[in-house]
C-alpha cells in the first residue's frame, strides 16, 4: 500500500468534505434558516453576509463539495435544474447565437423555443453526436454558447465532450454540459474541456425524489460566471435552506447509489437485449449502442442508471407493460433510489420526437433480480 494523502471523490462525498461545525464540533452541518444578518455598530457586515437571497451559509458546504467533485472553481445552487439552465442562457445578450441538441431534456428544449427566442437569442438545434453537423452549425464570432447533454434523454445519445469543446472553443464560444444523468461519479465534463456544467440536483445528486434543486459548476470564475451569480441573486431563483441541507445529506451517498444503479442498469440491458417482445434496448453500455465507444472513453465506472426499451408491438404494448409492472413505479423524473418506468411520449405530448413504443427506465437501488422479474412478468402479459 502506498500512502495517498489526497482522498478520492467518493471519500470526499461520503464525508461531505469532512467539514466540522466550529461552534458545536458536530459532524453534520447545521441549517441556517435566517433571512437576514446583523450589521455591526461600526456599520459594517463582519461576515460579509447581508441577506439570504445574495448568499446563504447553508449553501457553502454543498457548493464546495459539488465544485470539488466536478473539478470546477465554483458552484452555485438554484431552486431547480431548469432555473440553473435558464440562468446560463439569460447571461447571454439578445442577438447571440446558441447551438443546442436535437435530443435533449424536453422542457429545456421547449423553453429555448418559446422563451429564449423571444428574449432575442438565435437557437439552432443539431445532432450534437454528429460532429460534422455540429461543426456546420457553429457561427464563429456569433455563436456564444453551445449546450450539450450526455447521455441525453431519452435515447441516451452520447456526445463527445472533448471534441465538442474543441469545436466550440475554436468558434469563440463556451460549452455548457447538462451532466444530470452522468453525475460527477461517471463524467467530469470540465476535465474534457467544458466551461460550465449544469445538474438537475433533483435527480441523482439528491437521489431520494424529495428535493427540487439545480446547480451550475464553472471551470473558471470569469465575467459570464459573475453575470450568472448576479442573475441568481437579483432574480431570486435560490434554493431554500432546508432543501440545501437535504441535498447535502443525499450527496453523501451519491457514489454508492450511482454505482449500484449503473450495475443494475447494465444487468437489465444485458438481460433484455434481444428479448422476443422488444425491438431495441437503448443503453450506452451495450456494444451496439451508437455512442458506446465514446461513452466507454468519457464515462468512468459505468454507463449510467438510465435505459430505454422499445416494444416490438408498438405504443399500445409499451403502455400495457407500464400498466403491468408491480415494483417499478409509473412516474416521471429519474435518479431516485426507487426504480421508475415511463411511457415517455405520453408526458412530452403532441409533437414529441420520442417514439411511441419507448419506455424510459430509471433504475434505482433495489435487488436487480426483482427488477428483472418485474419486467419479465409485465412483458409476458402482452
Ligand atoms: C430533470 C432534468 C432537468 C430539469 O431539472 P428540474 O430540477 O426538474 O428543473 C434538466 N435536465 C435533465 C437531464 C433532467 O433530467
Amino acid at each position: 500500500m502506498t500512502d495517498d494523502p489526497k482522498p478520492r471523490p467518493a471519500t470526499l462525498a461520503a464525508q461531505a468534505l469532512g467539514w466540522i461545525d466550529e461552534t458545536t464540533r458536530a459532524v453534520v452541518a447545521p441549517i441556517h434558516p435566517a433571512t437576514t444578518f446583523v450589521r455591526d455598530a461600526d456599520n459594517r457586515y463582519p461576515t460579509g453576509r447581508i441577506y439570504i437571497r445574495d448568499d446563504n451559509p447553508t449553501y457553502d458546504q454543498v457548493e464546495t463539495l459539488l465544485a470539488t467533485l466536478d473539478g470546477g472553481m465554483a458552484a452555485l445552487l438554484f431552486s431547480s435544474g431548469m432555473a440553473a439552465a435558464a440562468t446560463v442562457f439569460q447571461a447571454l445578450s439578445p442577438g447571440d447565437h446558441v447551438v443546442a441538441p436535437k435530443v435533449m431534456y424536453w422542457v429545456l428544449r421547449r423553453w429555448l423555443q418559446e422563451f429564449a427566442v423571444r428574449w432575442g437569442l438565435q437557437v439552432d438545434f443539431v445532432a450534437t453526436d454528429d460532429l460534422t453537423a455540429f461543426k456546420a452549425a457553429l457561427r464563429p464570432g456569433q455563436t456564444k454558447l453551445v449546450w450539450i447533454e450526455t447521455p441525453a434523454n431519452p435515447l441516451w445519445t452520447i456526445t463527445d465532450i472533448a471534441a465538442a469543446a474543441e469545436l466550440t472553443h475554436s468558434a469563440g464560444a463556451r460549452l455548457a454540459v447538462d451532466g444530470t444523468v452522468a453525475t460527477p461519479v461517471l463524467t467530469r465534463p470540465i476535465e474534457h474541456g467544458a466551461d460550465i456544467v449544469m445538474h438537475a440536483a433533483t435527480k441523482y445528486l439528491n437521489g431520494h425524489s424529495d428535493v427540487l434543486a439545480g446547480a451550475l459548476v464553472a471551470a473558471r470564475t470569469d465575467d459570464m460566471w459573475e453575470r450568472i451569480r448576479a442573475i441568481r441573486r437579483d432574480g431570486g431563483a435560490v434554493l431554500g435552506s432546508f432543501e440545501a441541507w437535504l441535498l447535502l445529506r443525499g450527496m453523501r451517498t451519491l457514489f454508492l447509489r450511482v454505482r449500484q444503479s449503473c450495475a443494475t442498469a447494465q444487468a437489465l440491458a444485458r438481460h433484455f437485449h434481444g428479448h422476443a417482445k422488444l425491438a431495441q434496448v437503448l443503453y450506452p453500455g451495450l456494444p451496439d449502442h451508437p455512442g458506446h465507444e465514446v461513452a466507454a472513453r468519457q464515462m468512468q465506472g459505468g454507463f449510467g442508471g438510465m435505459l430505454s426499451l422499445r416494444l416490438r408491438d408498438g405504443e399500445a404494448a409499451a403502455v400495457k407493460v407500464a400498466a403491468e409492472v408491480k415494483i417499478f413505479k409509473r412516474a416521471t423524473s429519474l435518479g431516485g433510489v426507487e426504480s421508475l418506468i415511463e411511457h415517455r411520449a405520453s408526458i412530452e405530448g403532441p409533437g414529441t420526437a420520442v417514439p411511441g413504443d419507448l419506455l424510459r427506465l430509471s433504475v434505482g437501488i433495489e435487488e436487480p433480480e426483482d427488477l428483472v422479474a418485474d419486467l419479465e412478468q409485465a412483458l409476458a402479459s402482452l
Side-chain angles (χ1 to χ4, degrees):
M1 286 249 307
T2 51
D3 282 337
D4 187 353
K6 197 161 162 276
R8 285 153 182 81
T11 303
L12 295 172
Q15 299 194 350
L17 298 171
W19 287 17
I20 304 298
D21 176 51
E22 287 305 331
T23 316
T24 62
R25 307 300 290 159
V27 296
V28 172
I31 304 174
H32 292 281
T35 53
T36 192
F37 300 84
V38 171
R39 195 190 271 276
D40 272 1
D42 67 2
N43 214 31
R44 292 184 311 122
Y45 279 104
T47 64
R49 298 191 192 278
I50 300 171
Y51 186 60
I52 204 73
R53 184 164 20 73
D54 305 359
D55 178 21
N56 183 334
T58 315
Y59 293 178
D60 293 356
Q61 196 169 356
V62 197
E63 290 179 342
T64 309
L65 175 59
L66 186 56
T68 305
L69 295 181
D70 253 329
M73 264 177 75
L76 288 169
L77 291 179
F78 288 83
S79 53
S80 69
M82 275 303 297
T87 302
V88 176
F89 294 97
Q90 286 172 336
L92 301 173
S93 302
D96 285 351
H97 178 243
V98 165
V99 174
K102 275 194 173 141
V103 178
M104 70 183 295
Y105 180 63
W106 70 295
V107 180
L108 183 56
R109 185 178 61 221
R110 187 177 65 192
W111 184 89
L112 287 170
Q113 285 165 333
E114 294 178 5
F115 183 84
V117 169
R118 286 176 56 200
W119 167 267
L121 296 181
Q122 301 181 49
V123 187
D124 277 325
F125 295 93
V126 299
T128 54
D129 55 328
D130 172 351
L131 293 175
T132 311
F134 187 110
K135 191 172 180 197
L138 296 168
R139 300 185 205 159
Q142 203 197 346
T143 306
K144 294 292 191 260
L145 185 80
V146 174
W147 184 274
I148 61 173
E149 180 179 326
T150 186
N153 260 295
L155 308 177
W156 317 113
T157 310
I158 301 292
T159 297
D160 184 333
I161 302 171
E166 201 177 312
L167 290 172
T168 300
H169 293 155
S170 62
R174 288 182 173 86
L175 180 70
V177 179
D178 183 337
T180 300
V181 170
T183 80
V185 177
L186 307 175
T187 309
R188 290 151 59 97
I190 289 171
E191 284 178 357
H192 300 277
D195 301 288
I196 294 175
V197 184
M198 171 265 171
H199 294 286
T202 311
K203 314 295 172 55
Y204 289 102
L205 293 183
N206 180 63
H208 294 77
S209 310
D210 55 8
V211 169
L212 181 74
L216 296 176
V217 182
R220 78 204 80 77
T221 49
D222 56 9
D223 57 323
M224 174 137 176
W225 188 249
E226 286 315 311
R227 284 198 298 282
I228 285 170
R229 183 190 292 284
I231 292 166
R232 184 185 76 166
R233 183 191 65 217
D234 299 349
V238 291
L239 191 63
S241 298
F242 291 95
E243 284 78 5
W245 186 89
L246 270 174
L247 174 56
L248 186 66
R249 176 186 164 125
M251 284 174 70
R252 285 173 171 250
T253 57
L254 175 68
F255 283 74
L256 268 183
R257 289 184 286 99
V258 169
R259 285 168 178 169
Q260 182 62 56
S261 289
C262 283
T264 308
Q266 183 80 48
L268 288 178
R270 244 193 324 261
H271 179 93
F272 287 102
H273 185 257
H275 193 285
K277 301 282 174 70
L278 299 174
Q280 202 179 7
V281 176
L282 292 162
Y283 185 64
L286 290 175
D288 67 355
H289 188 278
H292 178 69
E293 213 180 294
V294 176
R297 220 181 320 123
Q298 78 185 11
M299 301 180 82
Q300 281 121 42
F303 295 90
M306 299 298 298
L307 70 153
S308 295
L309 307 177
R310 296 190 65 182
L311 276 293
R312 208 174 271 292
D313 289 344
E315 178 151 5
V319 173
K320 172 95 161 88
V321 168
E324 292 293 333
V325 292
K326 307 280 189 298
I327 293 174
F328 277 87
K329 303 295 171 220
R330 270 182 308 282
T332 195
S333 198
L334 57 99
V337 290
E338 64 286 296
S339 293
L340 306 179
I341 191 166
E342 175 171 54
H343 180 243
R344 194 65 194 162
S346 293
I347 189 116
E348 297 196 11
T352 178
V354 175
D357 59 12
L358 182 143
L359 288 173
R360 188 183 85 167
L361 311 184
S362 170
V363 178
I365 63 167
E366 303 93 336
E367 204 60 68
E369 290 78 358
D370 289 339
L371 300 177
V372 168
D374 192 27
L375 288 170
E376 281 287 10
Q377 67 80 27
L379 287 165
S381 75
L382 291 178

